[in-house]
Amino acid sequence: GQQVMQIPQYQHVQEGEDFTTYCNSSTTLSNIQWYKQRPGGHPVFLIQLVKSGEVKKQKRLTFQFGEAKKNSSLHITATQTTDVGTYFCAGPLYNQGGKLIFGQGTELSVKP
Amino acid sequence: NAGVTQTPKFQVLKTGQSMTLQCAQDMNHEYMSWYRQDPGMGLRLIHYSVGAGITDQGEVPNGYNVSRSTTEDFPLRLLSAAPSQTSVYFCASSYLGGGTGELFFGEGSRLTVL
């Protein structure tokens, strides 16, 4: 069935280094969302991308949606300890309104 | 506003016991959903609802029941708990359904089945 795959599963970086997580869908997505979950917390919405090739920035975070709308990425420039957490992408199942499927997440740890 | 409220936050059950995880939202959202989170598995959709009186199955519905009698409430029932249902459960709601629009999550309910 339709899947949303995310890599890597874990990423350990030194503070100040960049970080990227990638999300790939087996089918075309109408939109893709990104969430952040701090350790022990709940997922919090970051952004939604809708258009093919869309790029959005939030301070040090850059989100991209692929031209084919089957992949997406989140890039963090110059990581800080406040960036620690798990980042999830999520996309709706095709023709199954209401089913938002999440990737497995990328857990980011940052060494100060 | 309280947002999405889940109770209880922690629960320990014995195999075969039943229980209900409560979820309430005060944002007048039509769309509500339940996810479970297990290490390395991400968030998996259990059941969802696009409005009062309407529910549907997600990716992993077996062993769980839901109902939606009001816009505000979306309880998740475990009729006969199994150790495989040990997990963290999140309720989420959204103004827009169809996988569009920001999901607001509750703080989670950590369930252990012995």
Side-chain angles (χ1 to χ4, degrees):
Chain A
Q2 181 179 348
Q3 292 185 333
V4 176
M5 307 297 292
Q6 200 172 343
I7 56 170
Q9 189 172 359
Y10 302 99
Q11 187 76 56
H12 309 285
V13 300
Q14 198 76 32
E15 189 172 21
E17 292 182 338
D18 292 356
F19 159 78
T20 305
T21 174
Y22 300 90
C23 183
N24 293 288
S25 170
S26 55
T27 61
T28 301
L29 298 171
S30 59
N31 68 78
I32 194 155
Q33 299 178 11
W34 285 92
Y35 291 79
K36 176 183 179 181
Q37 183 178 25
R38 295 184 187 275
H42 59 277
V44 175
F45 176 83
L46 293 175
I47 206 162
Q48 176 171 279
L49 305 173
V50 178
K51 298 177 183 177
S52 169
E54 188 169 14
V55 179
K56 286 190 176 180
K57 292 189 175 183
Q58 291 179 350
K59 297 184 180 178
R60 295 177 295 103
L61 278 61
T62 301
F63 304 85
Q64 294 189 336
F65 201 9
E67 293 290 341
K69 300 183 75 173
K70 296 179 71 172
N71 57 73
S72 181
S73 65
L74 158 58
H75 179 82
I76 302 179
T77 304
T79 55
Q80 300 175 358
T81 55
T82 53
D83 296 324
V84 164
T86 301
Y87 293 84
F88 293 98
C89 62
L93 281 184
Y94 180 73
N95 270 351
Q96 295 187 50
K99 289 188 178 179
L100 190 65
I101 303 302
F102 281 74
Q104 301 95 323
T106 297
E107 184 179 340
L108 173 65
S109 64
V110 180
K111 293 180 189 176
Chain B
N1 284 345
V4 179
T5 303
Q6 288 182 237
T7 56
K9 286 185 169 47
F10 301 93
Q11 183 73 48
V12 179
L13 290 177
K14 293 182 180 178
T15 297
Q17 287 185 320
S18 62
M19 79 156 299
T20 300
L21 298 177
Q22 301 290 347
C23 177
Q25 54 90 10
D26 61 0
M27 296 175 283
N28 202 32
H29 287 170
E30 292 294 330
Y31 179 87
M32 297 186 74
S33 55
W34 277 101
Y35 288 87
R36 60 176 289 174
Q37 185 173 32
D38 304 291
M41 302 290 288
L43 294 151
R44 292 183 292 170
L45 181 64
I46 305 172
H47 285 285
Y48 67 99
S49 169
V50 297
I54 306 169
T55 63
D56 205 348
Q57 296 181 349
E59 302 169 270
V60 289
N62 293 341
Y64 306 95
N65 282 348
V66 292
S67 60
R68 185 92 180 270
S69 56
T70 67
T71 299
E72 294 78 18
D73 301 298
F74 191 43
L76 179 71
R77 297 183 185 85
L78 286 72
L79 296 180
S80 180
S84 60
Q85 294 178 303
T86 294
S87 187
V88 180
Y89 292 85
F90 287 100
C91 179
S93 73
S94 174
Y95 178 69
L96 295 173
T100 300
E102 175 181 357
L103 274 181
F104 293 83
F105 283 83
E107 294 187 352
S109 298
R110 185 175 295 275
L111 175 66
T112 301
V113 183
L114 303 176

